[in-house]
Amino acid sequence: MSILVTGGAGFIGSHVVDRLVEMGEDVIIVDNLSSGSKEYVNPEADLHVIDLTDSEKLEEVMRGVEEVWHIAANPDVRIGSENPQAIYDNNVLATYRLLEAMRKVGVGRIVFTSTSTVYGEAPTPTPEDYPTIPISIYGASKVACEALIASYCHTFEMQSWIYRFANVIGKRSNHGVIYDFIMKLKRNPNELEILGDGEQNKSYIYISDCVDGMFYGLKSNEVVNIFNIGSEDQVKVKRIAEIVCEEMGLNPVFRFTGGRRGWKGDVPVMLLSIEKLKAIGWRPKYSSEEAVRLATRDLLDDLGR
Ligand code: NAD
């Protein structure tokens, strides 16, 4: 099958591409390389350096495609409070342009990477049918994307698989808390700044578990299929800092910036209910803490230790 992966040069997208290539699929990647890297691109895949808002070029590469995995986005929650336009352009507008290209060319299947932040500050573990009332611009943009996708599916006879991820971590992840801690400690091994009070308690999922979950979800055959993907437990930010320090062999002083949230729009407590995906056979292999340790080792390897 010919599959187009947006964001296939990024962290999660490049792992999805590797899996699709392993399965023998023909993979076309659309990525503007804003945060992705050519180094992550599987040599068997066909990379097109295109911005998703460029309708003309998008329609050209869409010809002959049978399925789209829409993974590209601006995934930085923090940017939302400074530059909402960047989130709107790369998430909402990009998704609209992609859906339009799919409709015009006649591509009927879309897999989409959404986020736990669509729920805002919800009771935990949060099930898929809990109302989506985001507290970040990023979360809002993903609700908008989900709504566009669902409406295109019902209006133009398309089918979608929407995955709401907890924090995904592992090799090639060049943003997020573990990456931040490693970079800060490389600059100053004696002190580690921790955003917030360190008590933020969230679920982390290792990249291979996340990719497995996405393929399990494809067994579901509704018009719009929505699944949470996360681990079944949480780990506190302070514990993540301790694990990173253990793995780097350092013993710095922790300096907390204070407050419940690390940044505006941060949801300090997050755990998703994963019962819906477990009901069709998927189980995450790693706990949050195991995922954090594995991902720390991966990133230290990526960064040459
Ligand atoms: P990433 O930044 O590594 O990957 C995003 C990719 O999209 C990059 O390669 C980037 O160059 C590309 N891109 C961005 N804007 C583009 C545009 N306008 N046109 C073409 N390409 C563009 O991020 P990631 O962590 O791999 O996230 C992948 C997806 O998963 C995103 O949709 C993100 O919102 C979602 N997600 C990630 C996490 C996480 O913890 N990493 C959690 C929840 C949801």
Side-chain angles (χ1 to χ4, degrees):
M1 178 155 53
S2 174
I3 299 180
L4 188 147
V5 180
T6 75
F11 162 46
I12 298 172
S14 64
H15 286 276
V16 166
V17 169
D18 287 347
R19 188 70 66 91
L20 290 169
V21 166
E22 253 173 57
M23 292 163 61
E25 310 291 4
D26 289 329
V27 180
I28 297 165
I29 295 173
V30 167
D31 199 300
N32 67 0
L33 300 180
S34 54
S35 62
S37 164
K38 274 188 183 168
E39 276 173 45
Y40 300 162
V41 173
N42 189 299
E44 303 290 313
D46 186 8
L47 169 67
H48 295 259
V49 182
I50 295 175
D51 194 285
L52 277 172
T53 55
D54 186 338
S55 306
E56 218 171 287
K57 287 192 182 145
L58 202 51
E59 275 173 48
E60 255 169 54
V61 289
M62 192 67 79
R63 294 190 199 288
V65 165
E66 291 154 274
E67 183 174 287
V68 171
W69 288 59
H70 179 31
I71 301 175
N74 186 325
D76 191 347
V77 182
R78 278 185 263 181
I79 278 182
S81 58
E82 295 145 27
N83 188 0
Q85 184 77 46
I87 300 279
Y88 172 78
D89 289 345
N90 293 298
N91 299 2
V92 185
L93 183 62
T95 300
Y96 165 70
R97 295 259 161 90
L98 179 76
L99 287 165
E100 272 295 278
M102 289 176 67
R103 176 180 75 82
K104 287 183 185 157
V105 174
V107 183
R109 290 164 61 91
I110 179 166
V111 178
F112 177 63
T113 51
S114 189
T115 155
S116 64
T117 63
V118 295
Y119 299 117
E121 282 192 282
T124 57
T126 317
E128 287 84 350
D129 55 7
Y130 195 80
T132 51
I133 307 175
I135 64 164
S136 62
I137 307 293
Y138 167 75
S141 77
K142 290 288 187 170
V143 173
C145 295
E146 288 191 10
L148 277 170
I149 291 168
S151 67
Y152 267 68
C153 286
H154 287 284
T155 311
F156 303 114
E157 291 177 16
M158 291 161 65
Q159 198 178 10
S160 60
W161 290 264
I162 293 172
Y163 296 113
R164 295 175 178 160
F165 295 155
N167 294 301
V168 187
I169 51 177
K171 202 168 172 52
R172 305 175 191 154
S173 164
N174 59 5
H175 56 91
V177 62
I178 300 174
Y179 183 83
D180 274 0
F181 284 166
I182 292 175
M183 296 314 282
K184 282 176 180 167
L185 287 167
K186 278 185 178 283
R187 282 194 297 271
N188 180 2
N190 301 316
E191 184 187 282
L192 179 61
E193 181 200 62
I194 298 177
L195 302 180
D197 58 8
E199 293 298 312
Q200 303 97 310
N201 200 15
K202 307 186 197 186
S203 160
Y204 291 78
I205 179 111
Y206 194 59
I207 183 68
S208 54
D209 276 339
C210 174
V211 175
D212 285 347
M214 294 175 86
F215 281 93
Y216 261 96
L218 297 180
K219 292 182 187 176
S220 175
N221 204 20
E222 305 294 322
V223 175
V224 178
N225 304 277
I226 302 184
F227 292 101
N228 288 336
I229 297 187
S231 58
E232 289 188 277
D233 63 353
Q234 293 151 290
V235 58
K236 289 192 177 177
V237 167
K238 185 164 176 254
R239 179 69 193 130
I240 296 175
E242 288 166 358
I243 294 171
V244 172
C245 292
E246 279 165 31
E247 291 298 323
M248 293 180 79
L250 298 173
N251 191 17
V253 174
F254 290 168
R255 191 169 58 74
F256 299 94
T257 60
R260 281 176 70 227
R261 300 180 205 284
W263 52 86
K264 275 189 187 158
D266 182 27
V267 177
V269 177
M270 182 269 287
L271 179 67
L272 299 173
S273 165
I274 54 169
E275 294 308 315
K276 195 173 165 195
L277 199 50
K278 278 170 70 181
I280 55 175
W282 175 76
R283 291 269 179 301
K285 209 164 140 192
Y286 302 107
S287 67
S288 285
E289 199 167 314
E290 286 167 341
V292 166
R293 196 170 291 280
L294 284 174
T296 304
R297 290 179 185 165
D298 288 340
L299 294 194
L300 288 171
D301 285 346
D302 280 353
L303 296 163
R305 293 244 159 204

